[in-house]
Amino acid sequence: MGDVQGLVLHPRILTAVRKAKLHRYEEVLRFSPADLERLTHLSAKDVGHLVREVSEAVRQRSHAATALQLLLGDCPAELKVKFLSLGCPVLDEFLRGGVPCQGLTEISGESSAGKTQFGLQLCLTVQLPEEWGGLNAGAVYICTEDAFPSKRLAQMAQQFPTRGLVPVEVTKKIRFSDQIFVEHTADKDQLSKCIQSRLPILLERGVVKLVVIDSIAALFRGEYESRETARRAKDLQSLGAQLRKVSQKYSVPVVCINQVSAVVGKRRGNGNISSSQKVIPALGLVWSSLVTTRLMVTRTEHTVQCADGSPAVVRSLQVLFSPHLPNTTQYYIVDTQGVKGLR
């Protein structure tokens, strides 16, 4: 980060710091003032002066911006968060750009709600050039329970150029099916090994810039007994830390598809007890604290007519929490071309 000996300090302080083998800024800031006094044998006044000078040097070297500047995009390029398009202008507008390239994005929902459809569509849009909302790279799709839906992907890839999102001459140059790497993992140890050893090889070469895990809950629901909640929480924290590290180090979006758990509560009304049921994302508070953006997809009872005349179930995409999005809902459908938002 920087050499302490390059600072304008009293020679007595520089000599003491050198004897204590504190050469870099981060080595000085790692210790408390009391520890620095003990290591350098300097007075509290000298240590305070040292810490202030090092902190000021770090502040000048690093780029900073306010929350408003980040929102308006009026900040240094390295502070701007890139987004991966969902392949639908309506959904991109709803998510203010798409899926962020930093942090974990979770898509949870009941069976057949359309979670996997989002994952497959992201695997296609990530291959588009950056000027068209993609990242100009491939994707890694990690399956933990079901076989990879290769037929559905082929159908979406064939229909993707007809959606009119990008010029035809752009999509003609892309072989969508050739840049998606599929991995099947049966337990959390295999998943951890994949994330730590095989995945970085592709990321460092720039071959892939998207990681999709479908699903994260499958590995943690049946592998632990009821008395092993502490061990499960520890393993969840370890996995979440690995995924966050991958996203931050390589600036790639990590999308985790999650299942839901039913919550049955009782309420009294007119002297009678009736039960009402709803669902919440699985894996509890431990996993929730690791997720950056949480989205919930559900099916509704309504249908609309697609362009080809076939009916399509209306589904909802809700933002449960996110650092840059309000808690709102957007409706969408899934047809042969993929996921499409409704105006």
Side-chain angles (χ1 to χ4, degrees), residues 64-76 79-81 96 323-324:
T66 64
L68 179 60
Q69 289 174 328
L70 290 173
L71 177 63
L72 299 177
D74 184 19
C75 59
L79 293 181
K80 293 182 180 179
V81 178
R96 297 185 181 177
H324 67 289

mmCIF file of all heavy atoms in Angstrom, residues 64-76 79-81 96 323-324:
data_model
loop_
_atom_site.group_PDB
_atom_site.id
_atom_site.type_symbol
_atom_site.label_atom_id
_atom_site.label_comp_id
_atom_site.label_asym_id
_atom_site.label_seq_id
_atom_site.Cartn_x
_atom_site.Cartn_y
_atom_site.Cartn_z
ATOM 1 N N ALA A 64 -12.584 7.805 -2.852
ATOM 2 C CA ALA A 64 -13.774 7.807 -1.999
ATOM 3 C C ALA A 64 -14.898 8.556 -2.705
ATOM 4 O O ALA A 64 -14.665 9.398 -3.573
ATOM 5 C CB ALA A 64 -13.473 8.460 -0.654
ATOM 6 N N ALA A 65 -16.121 8.239 -2.322
ATOM 7 C CA ALA A 65 -17.289 8.895 -2.892
ATOM 8 C C ALA A 65 -18.436 8.781 -1.906
ATOM 9 O O ALA A 65 -18.491 7.846 -1.096
ATOM 10 C CB ALA A 65 -17.679 8.255 -4.228
ATOM 11 N N THR A 66 -19.339 9.725 -1.957
ATOM 12 C CA THR A 66 -20.512 9.683 -1.102
ATOM 13 C C THR A 66 -21.556 8.744 -1.700
ATOM 14 O O THR A 66 -21.457 8.331 -2.856
ATOM 15 C CB THR A 66 -21.119 11.087 -0.943
ATOM 16 O OG1 THR A 66 -21.588 11.534 -2.232
ATOM 17 C CG2 THR A 66 -20.089 12.066 -0.405
ATOM 18 N N ALA A 67 -22.578 8.417 -0.895
ATOM 19 C CA ALA A 67 -23.653 7.539 -1.381
ATOM 20 C C ALA A 67 -24.393 8.181 -2.554
ATOM 21 O O ALA A 67 -24.784 7.496 -3.507
ATOM 22 C CB ALA A 67 -24.617 7.231 -0.235
ATOM 23 N N LEU A 68 -24.577 9.513 -2.500
ATOM 24 C CA LEU A 68 -25.264 10.196 -3.596
ATOM 25 C C LEU A 68 -24.433 10.138 -4.869
ATOM 26 O O LEU A 68 -24.978 9.943 -5.969
ATOM 27 C CB LEU A 68 -25.549 11.649 -3.206
ATOM 28 C CG LEU A 68 -26.257 12.500 -4.266
ATOM 29 C CD1 LEU A 68 -27.614 11.897 -4.612
ATOM 30 C CD2 LEU A 68 -26.421 13.942 -3.780
ATOM 31 N N GLN A 69 -23.126 10.300 -4.754
ATOM 32 C CA GLN A 69 -22.261 10.215 -5.936
ATOM 33 C C GLN A 69 -22.295 8.816 -6.546
ATOM 34 O O GLN A 69 -22.279 8.661 -7.769
ATOM 35 C CB GLN A 69 -20.833 10.604 -5.553
ATOM 36 C CG GLN A 69 -20.653 12.080 -5.258
ATOM 37 C CD GLN A 69 -19.264 12.396 -4.735
ATOM 38 O OE1 GLN A 69 -18.641 11.585 -4.052
ATOM 39 N NE2 GLN A 69 -18.768 13.590 -5.063
ATOM 40 N N LEU A 70 -22.329 7.797 -5.693
ATOM 41 C CA LEU A 70 -22.424 6.433 -6.202
ATOM 42 C C LEU A 70 -23.748 6.206 -6.926
ATOM 43 O O LEU A 70 -23.803 5.554 -7.970
ATOM 44 C CB LEU A 70 -22.283 5.433 -5.051
ATOM 45 C CG LEU A 70 -20.898 5.318 -4.409
ATOM 46 C CD1 LEU A 70 -20.966 4.417 -3.187
ATOM 47 C CD2 LEU A 70 -19.884 4.782 -5.397
ATOM 48 N N LEU A 71 -24.832 6.758 -6.375
ATOM 49 C CA LEU A 71 -26.146 6.598 -6.992
ATOM 50 C C LEU A 71 -26.212 7.280 -8.343
ATOM 51 O O LEU A 71 -26.759 6.731 -9.313
ATOM 52 C CB LEU A 71 -27.224 7.157 -6.066
ATOM 53 C CG LEU A 71 -28.667 7.130 -6.590
ATOM 54 C CD1 LEU A 71 -29.112 5.693 -6.816
ATOM 55 C CD2 LEU A 71 -29.603 7.831 -5.630
ATOM 56 N N LEU A 72 -25.629 8.487 -8.439
ATOM 57 C CA LEU A 72 -25.667 9.250 -9.689
ATOM 58 C C LEU A 72 -24.584 8.840 -10.672
ATOM 59 O O LEU A 72 -24.583 9.291 -11.818
ATOM 60 C CB LEU A 72 -25.541 10.747 -9.376
ATOM 61 C CG LEU A 72 -26.635 11.358 -8.495
ATOM 62 C CD1 LEU A 72 -26.332 12.824 -8.214
ATOM 63 C CD2 LEU A 72 -27.999 11.208 -9.150
ATOM 64 N N GLY A 73 -23.648 7.994 -10.221
ATOM 65 C CA GLY A 73 -22.550 7.591 -11.090
ATOM 66 C C GLY A 73 -21.448 8.613 -11.194
ATOM 67 O O GLY A 73 -20.554 8.482 -12.042
ATOM 68 N N ASP A 74 -21.488 9.645 -10.349
ATOM 69 C CA ASP A 74 -20.476 10.701 -10.367
ATOM 70 C C ASP A 74 -19.346 10.332 -9.405
ATOM 71 O O ASP A 74 -19.154 10.940 -8.360
ATOM 72 C CB ASP A 74 -21.116 12.036 -9.959
ATOM 73 C CG ASP A 74 -20.133 13.200 -10.048
ATOM 74 O OD1 ASP A 74 -19.107 13.048 -10.742
ATOM 75 O OD2 ASP A 74 -20.382 14.240 -9.424
ATOM 76 N N CYS A 75 -18.594 9.286 -9.768
ATOM 77 C CA CYS A 75 -17.529 8.785 -8.917
ATOM 78 C C CYS A 75 -16.460 8.140 -9.791
ATOM 79 O O CYS A 75 -16.688 7.896 -10.980
ATOM 80 C CB CYS A 75 -18.085 7.776 -7.907
ATOM 81 S SG CYS A 75 -18.886 6.352 -8.670
ATOM 82 N N PRO A 76 -15.272 7.874 -9.237
ATOM 83 C CA PRO A 76 -14.220 7.217 -10.027
ATOM 84 C C PRO A 76 -14.689 5.894 -10.608
ATOM 85 O O PRO A 76 -15.562 5.214 -10.037
ATOM 86 C CB PRO A 76 -13.097 7.012 -8.999
ATOM 87 C CG PRO A 76 -13.317 8.075 -7.981
ATOM 88 C CD PRO A 76 -14.806 8.249 -7.897
ATOM 89 N N LEU A 79 -14.915 2.685 -8.559
ATOM 90 C CA LEU A 79 -15.953 2.593 -7.538
ATOM 91 C C LEU A 79 -17.329 2.286 -8.119
ATOM 92 O O LEU A 79 -18.250 1.960 -7.376
ATOM 93 C CB LEU A 79 -16.024 3.899 -6.733
ATOM 94 C CG LEU A 79 -14.815 4.238 -5.859
ATOM 95 C CD1 LEU A 79 -15.048 5.545 -5.123
ATOM 96 C CD2 LEU A 79 -14.512 3.119 -4.876
ATOM 97 N N LYS A 80 -17.461 2.400 -9.411
ATOM 98 C CA LYS A 80 -18.754 2.137 -10.041
ATOM 99 C C LYS A 80 -19.004 0.626 -10.101
ATOM 100 O O LYS A 80 -18.135 -0.141 -10.490
ATOM 101 C CB LYS A 80 -18.792 2.723 -11.455
ATOM 102 C CG LYS A 80 -18.760 4.240 -11.499
ATOM 103 C CD LYS A 80 -18.842 4.747 -12.925
ATOM 104 C CE LYS A 80 -18.814 6.268 -12.980
ATOM 105 N NZ LYS A 80 -18.866 6.774 -14.378
ATOM 106 N N VAL A 81 -20.189 0.231 -9.700
ATOM 107 C CA VAL A 81 -20.559 -1.179 -9.724
ATOM 108 C C VAL A 81 -21.183 -1.515 -11.074
ATOM 109 O O VAL A 81 -22.141 -0.870 -11.504
ATOM 110 C CB VAL A 81 -21.552 -1.505 -8.589
ATOM 111 C CG1 VAL A 81 -21.963 -2.974 -8.653
ATOM 112 C CG2 VAL A 81 -20.937 -1.181 -7.240
ATOM 113 N N ARG A 96 -32.765 -1.657 -11.763
ATOM 114 C CA ARG A 96 -31.828 -0.535 -11.946
ATOM 115 C C ARG A 96 -30.505 -0.987 -12.554
ATOM 116 O O ARG A 96 -29.430 -0.643 -12.075
ATOM 117 C CB ARG A 96 -31.582 0.178 -10.615
ATOM 118 C CG ARG A 96 -32.836 0.824 -10.033
ATOM 119 C CD ARG A 96 -32.538 1.621 -8.783
ATOM 120 N NE ARG A 96 -33.750 2.212 -8.241
ATOM 121 C CZ ARG A 96 -33.801 2.914 -7.103
ATOM 122 N NH1 ARG A 96 -32.684 3.110 -6.407
ATOM 123 N NH2 ARG A 96 -34.935 3.411 -6.665
ATOM 124 N N PRO A 323 -29.160 -3.394 -1.072
ATOM 125 C CA PRO A 323 -28.589 -2.106 -0.680
ATOM 126 C C PRO A 323 -28.930 -0.955 -1.611
ATOM 127 O O PRO A 323 -28.751 0.205 -1.247
ATOM 128 C CB PRO A 323 -27.073 -2.376 -0.688
ATOM 129 C CG PRO A 323 -26.895 -3.500 -1.644
ATOM 130 C CD PRO A 323 -28.120 -4.349 -1.492
ATOM 131 N N HIS A 324 -29.441 -1.260 -2.817
ATOM 132 C CA HIS A 324 -29.699 -0.188 -3.781
ATOM 133 C C HIS A 324 -31.107 -0.225 -4.369
ATOM 134 O O HIS A 324 -31.415 0.553 -5.276
ATOM 135 C CB HIS A 324 -28.679 -0.257 -4.931
ATOM 136 C CG HIS A 324 -28.821 -1.474 -5.806
ATOM 137 N ND1 HIS A 324 -28.497 -2.730 -5.389
ATOM 138 C CD2 HIS A 324 -29.263 -1.603 -7.081
ATOM 139 C CE1 HIS A 324 -28.728 -3.595 -6.360
ATOM 140 N NE2 HIS A 324 -29.187 -2.940 -7.392
#
